[in-house]
Amino acid sequence: LILNLHWGRPLGELPDLGSLLERHSRRTSMASQRSGQGYEGADLAYRLLLRDFRRVDELVSELKTFPGVSRVTSLKAEDENEV
């Protein structure tokens, strides 16, 4: 799964987000992190190998209510079914 989101909290608090992602994933890798002048926070992209792809909606719902997270989008990766 490719997961994009905006992180509005300090970057030092990213381990809080990592704990949530690890609960749903076998593997988690941050693909990109962008932050810039003129706006707060960072745009993050993750590549996840989910424990159960049928629960992707549950993960996205949790993320949308997670403090500091906004603009959540997900996209199934081509090799999602491979382990």
Side-chain angles (χ1 to χ4, degrees):
L1 180 78
I2 298 168
L3 181 70
N4 298 296
L5 58 91
H6 180 77
W7 181 250
R9 291 168 46 184
L11 292 177
E13 296 179 11
L14 270 176
D16 294 346
L17 176 64
S19 296
L20 185 149
L21 296 177
E22 288 172 8
R23 199 163 20 101
H24 287 273
S25 306
R26 294 179 192 270
R27 279 193 306 239
T28 302
S29 173
M30 184 184 291
S32 77
Q33 175 182 329
R34 290 181 297 152
S35 56
Q37 295 179 350
Y39 71 92
E40 240 180 79
D43 293 320
L44 307 175
Y46 286 90
R47 185 167 171 93
L48 309 174
L49 179 59
L50 296 178
R51 296 181 189 282
D52 183 353
F53 193 79
R54 295 170 293 185
R55 297 180 67 189
V56 68
D57 291 337
E58 183 180 321
L59 169 61
V60 170
S61 292
E62 271 190 71
L63 285 167
K64 287 182 176 180
T65 61
F66 196 83
V69 172
S70 61
R71 300 194 308 252
V72 178
T73 60
S74 64
L75 177 67
K76 184 177 179 181
E78 289 296 319
D79 58 353
E80 184 68 40
N81 294 325
E82 298 177 13
V83 176

Coordinates of all heavy atoms in Angstrom, one line a residue:
L1 N 0.8 -1.2 0.0 CA 0.0 0.0 0.0 C 0.9 1.2 0.0 O 1.9 1.3 0.7 CB -0.9 0.0 1.3 CG -1.8 1.2 1.4 CD1 -3.0 1.0 0.5 CD2 -2.3 1.3 2.8
I2 N 0.5 2.2 -0.8 CA 1.2 3.5 -0.7 C 0.3 4.4 0.0 O -0.9 4.6 -0.3 CB 1.5 4.0 -2.2 CG1 2.5 3.0 -2.8 CG2 2.1 5.4 -2.1 CD1 2.6 3.2 -4.3
L3 N 0.8 5.1 1.0 CA 0.0 5.9 1.9 C 0.6 7.3 1.9 O 1.8 7.5 2.2 CB 0.0 5.3 3.3 CG -0.8 6.0 4.4 CD1 -2.3 5.9 4.1 CD2 -0.4 5.4 5.8
N4 N -0.2 8.3 1.7 CA 0.2 9.7 1.7 C -0.6 10.4 2.8 O -1.8 10.2 2.9 CB 0.0 10.4 0.3 CG 0.8 9.7 -0.7 OD1 2.0 9.8 -0.7 ND2 0.1 9.1 -1.7
L5 N 0.1 11.3 3.5 CA -0.6 12.1 4.5 C 0.1 13.3 4.9 O 1.3 13.5 4.5 CB -0.9 11.2 5.8 CG 0.4 10.7 6.5 CD1 0.9 11.6 7.5 CD2 0.0 9.3 7.1
H6 N -0.6 14.2 5.5 CA 0.1 15.5 6.0 C 0.2 15.3 7.5 O -0.8 15.0 8.2 CB -0.7 16.7 5.7 CG -0.1 18.0 6.2 ND1 1.0 18.5 5.6 CD2 -0.3 18.7 7.3 CE1 1.4 19.6 6.3 NE2 0.6 19.7 7.3
W7 N 1.4 15.5 8.1 CA 1.7 15.5 9.5 C 1.8 16.9 10.0 O 2.7 17.6 9.6 CB 3.0 14.7 9.7 CG 3.4 14.5 11.1 CD1 4.5 15.1 11.7 CD2 2.8 13.7 12.1 NE1 4.6 14.7 13.0 CE2 3.6 13.8 13.3 CE3 1.7 12.8 12.1 CZ2 3.3 13.2 14.5 CZ3 1.4 12.2 13.3 CH2 2.2 12.3 14.4
G8 N 0.9 17.3 10.9 CA 0.9 18.6 11.4 C 1.6 18.8 12.8 O 1.5 19.9 13.3
R9 N 2.1 17.8 13.3 CA 2.7 17.8 14.6 C 4.3 17.9 14.4 O 4.8 17.7 13.3 CB 2.4 16.6 15.5 CG 0.9 16.5 15.9 CD 0.4 15.2 16.4 NE 1.3 14.6 17.4 CZ 1.0 13.4 17.9 NH1 -0.1 12.7 17.5 NH2 1.8 12.9 18.8
P10 N 5.0 18.2 15.5 CA 6.5 18.2 15.4 C 7.0 16.9 14.9 O 6.5 15.8 15.3 CB 6.9 18.5 16.8 CG 5.8 19.2 17.5 CD 4.6 18.6 16.9
L11 N 8.1 16.9 14.1 CA 8.6 15.7 13.5 C 9.1 14.8 14.6 O 9.2 13.6 14.4 CB 9.7 16.0 12.5 CG 9.3 16.7 11.2 CD1 10.4 17.1 10.3 CD2 8.3 15.8 10.5
G12 N 9.5 15.3 15.8 CA 10.0 14.5 16.9 C 8.9 13.6 17.4 O 9.2 12.6 18.1
E13 N 7.6 13.8 17.1 CA 6.5 13.0 17.5 C 6.1 12.0 16.5 O 5.1 11.3 16.7 CB 5.3 13.9 17.9 CG 5.6 14.8 19.0 CD 4.5 15.7 19.4 OE1 3.3 15.5 18.9 OE2 4.7 16.7 20.2
L14 N 6.9 11.8 15.4 CA 6.5 10.8 14.4 C 6.5 9.4 14.9 O 5.7 8.5 14.4 CB 7.5 10.9 13.2 CG 7.1 11.8 12.1 CD1 8.2 11.9 11.0 CD2 5.8 11.4 11.5
P15 N 7.3 9.0 15.9 CA 7.1 7.6 16.5 C 5.7 7.3 16.9 O 5.3 6.1 16.8 CB 8.1 7.6 17.6 CG 9.2 8.6 17.2 CD 8.4 9.7 16.5
D16 N 4.9 8.3 17.3 CA 3.5 8.0 17.6 C 2.8 7.5 16.4 O 2.0 6.5 16.5 CB 2.8 9.3 18.1 CG 3.3 9.8 19.4 OD1 4.1 9.0 20.1 OD2 3.0 11.0 19.8
L17 N 3.0 8.1 15.3 CA 2.4 7.6 14.0 C 3.0 6.3 13.6 O 2.2 5.4 13.2 CB 2.7 8.6 12.9 CG 2.2 8.3 11.5 CD1 0.6 8.1 11.5 CD2 2.6 9.3 10.5
G18 N 4.3 6.1 13.8 CA 4.9 4.8 13.5 C 4.3 3.6 14.2 O 4.1 2.6 13.6
S19 N 4.0 3.9 15.5 CA 3.3 2.8 16.2 C 2.0 2.3 15.6 O 1.7 1.1 15.5 CB 3.1 3.2 17.7 OG 4.3 3.5 18.3
L20 N 1.2 3.3 15.2 CA -0.1 3.0 14.5 C 0.2 2.2 13.2 O -0.5 1.2 13.0 CB -0.9 4.2 14.3 CG -2.3 4.0 13.7 CD1 -3.2 5.2 14.2 CD2 -2.3 4.0 12.2
L21 N 1.1 2.7 12.4 CA 1.4 2.0 11.2 C 1.9 0.6 11.4 O 1.5 -0.3 10.6 CB 2.4 2.8 10.3 CG 1.9 4.2 9.9 CD1 3.0 5.0 9.2 CD2 0.6 4.1 9.1
E22 N 2.8 0.4 12.3 CA 3.4 -0.9 12.6 C 2.3 -1.9 13.1 O 2.4 -3.1 12.8 CB 4.5 -0.8 13.6 CG 5.7 -0.1 13.0 CD 6.8 0.2 14.0 OE1 6.7 -0.3 15.1 OE2 7.8 0.8 13.6
R23 N 1.3 -1.4 13.8 CA 0.2 -2.3 14.2 C -0.5 -2.9 13.0 O -1.0 -4.0 13.1 CB -0.7 -1.5 15.1 CG -1.6 -2.3 16.0 CD -2.2 -1.5 17.1 NE -2.3 -0.1 17.0 CZ -3.4 0.6 16.6 NH1 -4.5 -0.1 16.4 NH2 -3.4 1.9 16.5
H24 N -0.6 -2.2 11.9 CA -1.4 -2.7 10.8 C -0.4 -3.3 9.7 O -1.0 -3.9 8.7 CB -2.1 -1.5 10.1 CG -3.3 -1.0 10.9 ND1 -4.5 -1.6 10.8 CD2 -3.4 -0.1 11.8 CE1 -5.4 -1.0 11.6 NE2 -4.7 -0.1 12.2
S25 N 0.9 -3.2 9.8 CA 1.8 -3.6 8.8 C 2.8 -4.6 9.2 O 3.3 -4.6 10.3 CB 2.5 -2.4 8.3 OG 1.7 -1.3 7.9
R26 N 3.2 -5.4 8.2 CA 4.3 -6.3 8.4 C 5.6 -5.5 8.2 O 6.6 -5.8 8.9 CB 4.3 -7.5 7.4 CG 3.2 -8.4 7.6 CD 3.2 -9.5 6.5 NE 2.0 -10.2 6.4 CZ 1.8 -11.3 7.1 NH1 2.7 -11.8 7.9 NH2 0.6 -12.0 7.0
R27 N 5.6 -4.6 7.2 CA 6.8 -3.8 6.9 C 6.3 -2.4 6.7 O 5.3 -2.2 6.0 CB 7.5 -4.3 5.7 CG 8.5 -5.4 6.0 CD 9.4 -5.6 4.8 NE 8.7 -5.8 3.6 CZ 8.7 -6.9 2.8 NH1 9.6 -7.9 3.1 NH2 8.0 -7.0 1.7
T28 N 7.1 -1.4 7.2 CA 6.8 0.0 7.0 C 8.0 0.7 6.5 O 9.1 0.5 7.1 CB 6.3 0.6 8.3 OG1 5.2 -0.1 8.8 CG2 5.9 2.1 8.1
S29 N 7.9 1.5 5.5 CA 9.0 2.2 5.0 C 8.6 3.6 4.6 O 7.6 3.8 3.8 CB 9.6 1.5 3.7 OG 10.6 2.3 3.1
M30 N 9.3 4.7 5.1 CA 8.9 6.0 4.7 C 9.6 6.3 3.3 O 10.8 6.2 3.2 CB 9.4 7.1 5.7 CG 9.0 8.5 5.3 SD 9.7 9.8 6.4 CE 8.8 9.4 7.9
A31 N 8.7 6.5 2.3 CA 9.2 6.7 0.9 C 9.7 8.1 0.7 O 10.6 8.4 0.0 CB 8.1 6.3 -0.1
S32 N 9.0 9.1 1.3 CA 9.4 10.5 1.2 C 8.8 11.4 2.3 O 7.8 11.0 2.9 CB 9.0 11.1 -0.2 OG 7.6 11.4 -0.2
Q33 N 9.6 12.4 2.5 CA 9.2 13.4 3.5 C 9.5 14.8 3.0 O 10.6 15.1 2.6 CB 10.0 13.2 4.8 CG 9.7 14.2 5.9 CD 10.6 13.9 7.1 OE1 10.9 12.8 7.4 NE2 11.0 15.0 7.8
R34 N 8.4 15.6 2.9 CA 8.6 17.0 2.4 C 8.1 18.0 3.3 O 6.9 17.9 3.8 CB 7.9 17.1 1.0 CG 8.6 16.4 -0.1 CD 7.8 16.6 -1.4 NE 6.5 16.1 -1.3 CZ 5.4 16.5 -1.9 NH1 5.5 17.5 -2.7 NH2 4.2 16.0 -1.7
S35 N 8.9 19.0 3.6 CA 8.4 20.1 4.4 C 9.0 21.3 3.8 O 10.0 21.3 3.2 CB 8.8 19.9 5.9 OG 10.2 19.8 6.0
G36 N 8.3 22.4 3.9 CA 8.8 23.6 3.3 C 8.4 24.9 4.0 O 7.7 24.8 5.0
Q37 N 9.0 25.9 3.6 CA 8.7 27.2 4.3 C 7.4 27.7 3.8 O 6.9 27.4 2.7 CB 9.8 28.2 3.9 CG 11.2 27.8 4.4 CD 12.2 28.8 4.0 OE1 12.0 29.7 3.2 NE2 13.4 28.7 4.6
G38 N 6.7 28.4 4.7 CA 5.4 28.9 4.3 C 4.2 28.0 4.8 O 3.1 28.4 4.7
Y39 N 4.5 26.8 5.2 CA 3.4 26.0 5.8 C 4.0 25.1 6.9 O 5.2 24.8 6.9 CB 2.7 25.2 4.7 CG 3.4 24.0 4.1 CD1 3.3 22.8 4.7 CD2 4.2 24.2 3.0 CE1 4.0 21.7 4.1 CE2 4.9 23.1 2.4 CZ 4.8 21.9 3.0 OH 5.5 20.8 2.4
E40 N 3.1 24.8 7.8 CA 3.5 24.0 9.0 C 3.4 22.5 8.6 O 2.6 22.1 7.8 CB 2.5 24.3 10.1 CG 3.2 24.8 11.3 CD 2.2 25.1 12.4 OE1 1.8 24.1 13.1 OE2 1.9 26.3 12.6
G41 N 4.2 21.7 9.3 CA 4.1 20.2 9.1 C 4.9 19.7 8.0 O 5.8 20.4 7.4
A42 N 4.6 18.5 7.6 CA 5.3 17.8 6.6 C 4.4 16.8 5.8 O 3.4 16.3 6.4 CB 6.5 16.9 7.2
D43 N 4.6 16.7 4.5 CA 3.9 15.7 3.7 C 4.7 14.5 3.7 O 5.9 14.5 3.3 CB 3.7 16.3 2.3 CG 2.8 17.5 2.2 OD1 1.8 17.5 3.0 OD2 3.0 18.4 1.5
L44 N 4.1 13.4 4.1 CA 4.8 12.1 4.2 C 4.2 11.1 3.2 O 3.0 11.0 3.0 CB 4.7 11.6 5.6 CG 5.1 12.5 6.7 CD1 4.8 11.9 8.1 CD2 6.6 12.9 6.6
A45 N 5.0 10.2 2.7 CA 4.6 9.1 1.9 C 5.2 7.8 2.5 O 6.4 7.8 2.8 CB 5.0 9.2 0.5
Y46 N 4.4 6.8 2.7 CA 4.9 5.5 3.2 C 4.6 4.4 2.3 O 3.6 4.5 1.5 CB 4.2 5.2 4.6 CG 4.7 6.0 5.7 CD1 4.0 7.2 6.0 CD2 5.7 5.6 6.5 CE1 4.5 8.0 7.1 CE2 6.1 6.3 7.6 CZ 5.5 7.5 7.9 OH 5.9 8.2 9.0
R47 N 5.4 3.4 2.3 CA 5.1 2.1 1.6 C 4.9 1.1 2.7 O 5.8 0.9 3.5 CB 6.2 1.8 0.7 CG 5.9 0.6 -0.2 CD 6.9 0.5 -1.3 NE 6.8 -0.7 -2.0 CZ 6.0 -0.9 -3.1 NH1 5.4 0.1 -3.6 NH2 5.9 -2.1 -3.6
L48 N 3.7 0.5 2.7 CA 3.4 -0.5 3.7 C 3.1 -1.8 3.1 O 2.4 -1.9 2.1 CB 2.2 0.0 4.5 CG 2.1 1.4 5.1 CD1 0.8 1.7 5.7 CD2 3.2 1.6 6.1
L49 N 3.5 -2.9 3.8 CA 3.0 -4.3 3.5 C 2.1 -4.6 4.6 O 2.5 -4.8 5.8 CB 4.2 -5.2 3.4 CG 3.8 -6.7 3.2 CD1 3.1 -6.8 1.8 CD2 5.0 -7.6 3.2
L50 N 0.8 -4.5 4.3 CA -0.2 -4.7 5.4 C -0.3 -6.1 5.8 O -0.1 -7.1 5.1 CB -1.6 -4.2 4.8 CG -1.7 -2.8 4.5 CD1 -3.1 -2.5 3.9 CD2 -1.4 -1.9 5.7
R51 N -0.7 -6.3 7.1 CA -0.9 -7.6 7.7 C -2.2 -8.2 7.0 O -2.2 -9.4 6.7 CB -1.1 -7.5 9.2 CG 0.1 -7.1 9.9 CD -0.1 -7.0 11.4 NE 1.0 -6.4 12.1 CZ 2.2 -6.9 12.3 NH1 2.4 -8.1 11.9 NH2 3.1 -6.2 12.9
D52 N -3.2 -7.4 6.8 CA -4.4 -7.9 6.2 C -5.0 -6.8 5.3 O -5.5 -5.8 5.8 CB -5.4 -8.3 7.2 CG -6.7 -8.8 6.7 OD1 -6.9 -8.8 5.4 OD2 -7.6 -9.3 7.5
F53 N -4.8 -6.9 4.0 CA -5.2 -5.8 3.1 C -6.7 -5.5 3.2 O -7.2 -4.4 2.9 CB -4.8 -6.1 1.6 CG -4.9 -4.9 0.8 CD1 -4.0 -3.9 0.8 CD2 -6.0 -4.7 0.0 CE1 -4.1 -2.7 0.0 CE2 -6.2 -3.6 -0.8 CZ -5.2 -2.6 -0.8
R54 N -7.5 -6.5 3.6 CA -8.9 -6.3 3.7 C -9.3 -5.3 4.8 O -10.4 -4.8 4.8 CB -9.7 -7.6 4.0 CG -9.5 -8.6 2.8 CD -10.0 -10.0 3.2 NE -9.1 -10.5 4.3 CZ -9.1 -11.7 4.8 NH1 -10.1 -12.5 4.5 NH2 -8.2 -12.0 5.7
R55 N -8.3 -4.9 5.6 CA -8.5 -4.0 6.7 C -8.0 -2.6 6.4 O -7.8 -1.8 7.3 CB -8.0 -4.5 8.0 CG -8.7 -5.8 8.4 CD -8.1 -6.4 9.7 NE -8.4 -5.5 10.8 CZ -8.0 -5.7 12.0 NH1 -7.1 -6.7 12.3 NH2 -8.3 -4.8 13.0
V56 N -7.7 -2.3 5.1 CA -7.1 -1.0 4.7 C -8.1 0.1 5.1 O -7.6 1.2 5.5 CB -6.7 -1.0 3.2 CG1 -7.9 -1.0 2.3 CG2 -5.9 0.3 3.0
D57 N -9.3 -0.1 5.0 CA -10.3 1.0 5.4 C -10.2 1.3 6.8 O -10.4 2.5 7.2 CB -11.7 0.6 5.0 CG -11.9 0.5 3.5 OD1 -11.2 1.2 2.7 OD2 -12.8 -0.2 3.0
E58 N -10.0 0.3 7.7 CA -9.8 0.5 9.1 C -8.6 1.4 9.4 O -8.7 2.3 10.2 CB -9.7 -0.8 9.8 CG -9.6 -0.8 11.3 CD -9.5 -2.1 11.9 OE1 -10.2 -3.1 11.5 OE2 -8.8 -2.3 12.9
L59 N -7.5 1.1 8.7 CA -6.3 1.9 8.9 C -6.5 3.3 8.5 O -6.2 4.2 9.2 CB -5.1 1.3 8.1 CG -3.9 2.1 7.9 CD1 -3.2 2.4 9.3 CD2 -2.9 1.5 7.0
V60 N -7.1 3.5 7.3 CA -7.3 4.9 6.8 C -8.3 5.6 7.8 O -8.0 6.8 8.1 CB -7.9 4.9 5.4 CG1 -8.4 6.2 4.9 CG2 -6.8 4.3 4.4
S61 N -9.3 5.0 8.3 CA -10.2 5.6 9.2 C -9.5 6.0 10.5 O -9.7 7.1 11.0 CB -11.4 4.7 9.6 OG -12.2 4.5 8.5
E62 N -8.6 5.1 11.0 CA -7.9 5.5 12.2 C -7.0 6.7 12.0 O -6.8 7.5 12.8 CB -7.0 4.3 12.7 CG -7.7 3.3 13.6 CD -6.7 2.3 14.1 OE1 -5.8 2.7 15.0 OE2 -6.8 1.1 13.8
L63 N -6.3 6.7 10.8 CA -5.4 7.8 10.5 C -6.2 9.1 10.4 O -5.7 10.2 10.8 CB -4.7 7.5 9.2 CG -3.6 6.5 9.3 CD1 -3.1 6.1 7.9 CD2 -2.4 7.1 10.0
K64 N -7.4 9.1 9.9 CA -8.1 10.3 9.7 C -8.5 10.9 11.0 O -8.8 12.1 11.1 CB -9.3 10.1 8.8 CG -9.0 9.9 7.3 CD -10.2 9.7 6.4 CE -9.7 9.6 5.0 NZ -10.9 9.5 4.1
T65 N -8.6 10.1 12.1 CA -8.9 10.7 13.4 C -7.7 10.8 14.3 O -7.8 11.2 15.4 CB -10.0 9.7 14.1 OG1 -9.4 8.4 14.3 CG2 -11.3 9.7 13.3
F66 N -6.5 10.5 13.8 CA -5.3 10.5 14.6 C -4.9 12.0 14.7 O -4.8 12.7 13.7 CB -4.2 9.7 13.9 CG -3.0 9.4 14.8 CD1 -3.1 8.3 15.6 CD2 -1.9 10.2 14.7 CE1 -2.0 8.0 16.4 CE2 -0.8 9.9 15.5 CZ -0.8 8.8 16.3
P67 N -4.6 12.4 16.0 CA -4.2 13.8 16.2 C -3.0 14.2 15.3 O -1.9 13.6 15.3 CB -3.9 13.9 17.6 CG -4.6 12.8 18.3 CD -4.6 11.7 17.2
G68 N -3.1 15.3 14.5 CA -2.0 15.8 13.7 C -2.0 15.3 12.3 O -1.2 15.8 11.5
V69 N -2.8 14.3 12.0 CA -2.8 13.8 10.6 C -4.0 14.3 9.8 O -5.1 14.5 10.3 CB -3.0 12.2 10.7 CG1 -3.2 11.6 9.3 CG2 -1.7 11.6 11.3
S70 N -3.7 14.7 8.6 CA -4.8 15.2 7.6 C -4.4 14.8 6.2 O -3.3 14.2 6.0 CB -4.9 16.7 7.7 OG -3.7 17.4 7.4
R71 N -5.3 15.0 5.3 CA -5.1 14.7 3.9 C -4.6 13.3 3.6 O -3.6 13.1 3.0 CB -4.1 15.7 3.2 CG -4.7 17.2 3.4 CD -4.0 18.1 2.5 NE -2.5 18.2 2.6 CZ -1.9 19.2 3.2 NH1 -2.5 20.2 3.7 NH2 -0.6 19.1 3.2
V72 N -5.3 12.3 4.2 CA -4.9 10.9 4.0 C -5.4 10.3 2.7 O -6.6 10.4 2.4 CB -5.4 10.1 5.2 CG1 -5.1 8.6 5.0 CG2 -5.0 10.6 6.5
T73 N -4.5 9.8 1.9 CA -4.9 9.0 0.7 C -4.1 7.7 0.7 O -3.0 7.6 1.2 CB -4.6 9.8 -0.6 OG1 -3.2 10.1 -0.7 CG2 -5.4 11.1 -0.6
S74 N -4.7 6.7 0.0 CA -4.0 5.4 -0.1 C -4.2 4.9 -1.5 O -5.1 5.2 -2.2 CB -4.5 4.4 0.9 OG -5.9 4.1 0.6
L75 N -3.2 4.1 -1.9 CA -3.2 3.5 -3.3 C -2.6 2.1 -3.2 O -1.5 2.0 -2.6 CB -2.4 4.4 -4.2 CG -2.2 3.9 -5.7 CD1 -3.5 3.9 -6.4 CD2 -1.2 4.8 -6.4
K76 N -3.3 1.2 -3.7 CA -2.8 -0.2 -3.7 C -1.6 -0.3 -4.6 O -1.6 0.1 -5.8 CB -3.8 -1.2 -4.1 CG -3.4 -2.6 -4.0 CD -4.5 -3.6 -4.4 CE -3.9 -5.0 -4.3 NZ -4.9 -6.0 -4.7
A77 N -0.5 -0.8 -4.0 CA 0.8 -1.0 -4.8 C 0.6 -2.2 -5.7 O -0.1 -3.2 -5.4 CB 1.9 -1.2 -3.9
E78 N 1.3 -2.2 -6.9 CA 1.2 -3.3 -7.8 C 1.6 -4.7 -7.2 O 1.0 -5.7 -7.5 CB 2.1 -3.1 -9.0 CG 1.6 -1.9 -9.9 CD 0.3 -2.3 -10.6 OE1 0.1 -3.4 -11.0 OE2 -0.6 -1.4 -10.6
D79 N 2.6 -4.7 -6.3 CA 3.1 -5.9 -5.8 C 2.5 -6.2 -4.4 O 3.0 -7.0 -3.6 CB 4.6 -6.0 -5.7 CG 5.1 -4.8 -4.9 OD1 4.3 -3.9 -4.5 OD2 6.3 -4.8 -4.6
E80 N 1.3 -5.7 -4.1 CA 0.7 -5.8 -2.7 C 0.5 -7.2 -2.3 O 0.6 -7.6 -1.2 CB -0.6 -5.0 -2.7 CG -1.3 -5.0 -1.4 CD -0.5 -4.2 -0.4 OE1 0.0 -3.1 -0.7 OE2 -0.4 -4.6 0.8
N81 N 0.1 -8.1 -3.2 CA -0.2 -9.5 -2.9 C 1.0 -10.4 -2.7 O 0.9 -11.5 -2.3 CB -1.1 -10.1 -3.9 CG -2.4 -9.4 -3.9 OD1 -2.9 -9.0 -2.9 ND2 -3.0 -9.2 -5.1
E82 N 2.2 -9.8 -3.0 CA 3.4 -10.6 -2.8 C 4.0 -10.4 -1.4 O 3.9 -9.3 -0.8 CB 4.5 -10.1 -3.8 CG 4.1 -10.4 -5.2 CD 5.1 -9.8 -6.2 OE1 6.2 -9.5 -5.7 OE2 4.8 -9.7 -7.4
V83 N 4.5 -11.5 -0.8 CA 5.1 -11.4 0.5 C 6.6 -11.5 0.4 O 7.1 -12.3 -0.3 CB 4.5 -12.4 1.5 CG1 5.2 -12.3 2.8 CG2 3.1 -12.1 1.7

